[in-house]
Amino acid sequence: MTKDGLEAQDKRLRDFLEGYGSLVVAFSGGLDSVLLLAVAHDVLGDRMLAVTAVSPIYPRRERAAAEALARALGVRFLQIETGDVARADFAANPPERCYLCKRELFGKLREIARKEKMAYVADGANADDLNDYRPGMRAARELGVVSPLVEAGLTKEDIRALSKRLGLATWDKASSACLASRIPYGEPITREKLAMIEAAEEFLEALGFRQVRVRHHGNVARIEVAPDEIERLASAAVRERVVHKLREIGYHYVCLDAEGYRTGSLNEVLPRDGTT
């Protein structure tokens, strides 16, 4: 992406944000939502509010980082609890899981927007999300949630480049997703499983692995890391430490996915239209 191209994208995003007038931003602290929050705050100032969801499906370290980032940017910030794991329909883990979660979250954010007299709720979806199975985007459409990064045509690569240009420390942050996305569809989502996944991923990240997913298949942990990190994870010294720790956490078997990390690997079992 050329300098002129980045400047054009930046201006396009700012024009969309100015047009909204005021925003409540669903803020996870990930790469996409940090860029959205930073630019929205620059454009709208006090006419915006960042809201982060609190739930067992979101890693505690990510929530703490989100709060720290919002405060560092000087953005008004709220945390709200969601009841997703306690809901039978969500906990059953259907392919529409993300829709159910986002429907609840966006509904709460709309209520906050009404109380705060904010015109819109915005999420951090990007243009690449249009190419994957993302039922949460349907919830956004139904509830009138805007997606400024999508509207500005920003892909993940664009977001990294623009974040770097703006001096945001998250420009090279690894992709993230809720912990429920590690559990295959149809396997119930429980607090215990989420805690195991979180502990396992924290351990792997502490070992220096940048892009990590621990897919939870019953008593089996299937580990995905970036392809260029597979060799290190498979080395005897590291492998032994990982197996020991994950068994301590509660897994009986520990597997390394030879294909490596890829977005939405648990969606690979779904038909192309996302139905079962």
Side-chain angles (χ1 to χ4, degrees):
M1 176 66 66
T2 65
K3 180 180 178 181
D4 288 345
L6 281 176
E7 288 178 352
Q9 288 186 323
D10 188 12
K11 183 180 186 305
R12 188 160 60 245
L13 177 59
R14 290 171 186 271
D15 287 345
F16 275 115
L17 291 167
E18 184 61 49
Y20 298 139
S22 57
L23 282 179
V24 169
V25 175
F27 183 57
S28 68
L31 168 69
D32 303 336
S33 67
V34 170
L35 176 67
L36 174 59
L37 190 73
V39 178
H41 184 241
D42 193 33
V43 172
L44 299 173
D46 290 339
R47 291 178 289 152
M48 63 153 300
L49 172 67
V51 181
T52 296
V54 176
S55 163
I57 70 173
Y58 302 117
R60 287 165 294 180
R61 64 192 183 281
E62 292 292 331
R63 297 201 305 266
E67 180 174 7
L69 280 165
R71 298 200 186 285
L73 291 169
V75 176
R76 284 202 299 145
F77 175 79
L78 284 178
Q79 288 188 343
I80 60 168
E81 291 194 8
T82 57
D84 32 47
V85 177
R87 291 175 44 186
D89 55 354
F90 177 85
N93 199 11
E96 291 287 283
R97 172 192 66 218
C98 188
Y99 170 81
L100 298 170
C101 175
K102 295 299 186 184
R103 181 87 192 183
E104 177 186 354
L105 174 60
F106 293 149
K108 289 179 181 291
L109 296 186
R110 285 184 63 185
E111 287 299 317
I112 291 172
R114 276 194 281 269
K115 290 177 182 176
E116 294 285 336
K117 295 182 170 53
M118 298 282 182
Y120 291 95
V121 172
D123 71 4
N126 67 68
D128 287 337
D129 292 331
L130 301 175
N131 300 319
D132 193 11
Y133 177 59
R134 303 280 181 174
M137 297 182 76
R138 177 160 62 89
R141 289 194 302 270
E142 290 175 357
L143 293 177
V145 173
V146 296
S147 301
L149 303 178
V150 172
E151 294 182 44
L154 294 172
T155 65
K156 184 72 76 173
E157 182 180 351
D158 298 331
I159 291 165
R160 290 195 186 281
L162 188 53
S163 295
K164 187 175 184 179
R165 178 176 179 270
L166 296 176
L168 298 175
T170 51
W171 73 270
D172 65 344
K173 184 175 182 179
S175 298
S176 59
C178 85
L179 297 172
S181 68
R182 282 48 156 185
I183 303 173
Y185 297 118
E187 290 190 17
I189 298 168
T190 67
R191 290 175 180 270
E192 293 74 21
K193 291 176 184 178
L194 296 170
M196 289 174 66
I197 295 164
E198 183 172 8
E201 292 189 355
E202 280 186 353
F203 176 74
L204 286 159
E205 289 173 4
L207 290 178
F209 293 99
R210 182 172 175 273
Q211 185 72 74
V212 174
R213 294 289 186 271
V214 175
R215 309 296 185 183
H216 185 102
H217 299 268
N219 59 7
V220 178
R222 176 171 60 86
I223 302 172
E224 296 176 12
V225 295
D228 61 356
E229 294 183 314
I230 289 175
E231 185 175 353
R232 176 172 171 249
L233 180 54
S235 66
V238 176
R239 186 181 72 244
E240 289 171 7
R241 291 183 64 187
V242 170
V243 169
H244 176 77
K245 181 63 177 179
L246 268 61
R247 283 181 175 165
E248 188 178 88
I249 288 169
Y251 291 105
H252 294 177
Y253 305 100
V254 180
C255 301
L256 170 59
D257 190 316
E259 192 172 351
Y261 167 77
R262 62 269 191 206
T263 300
S265 71
L266 292 180
N267 291 338
E268 293 167 359
V269 301
L270 296 175
R272 290 184 179 273
D273 63 358
T275 61
T276 55

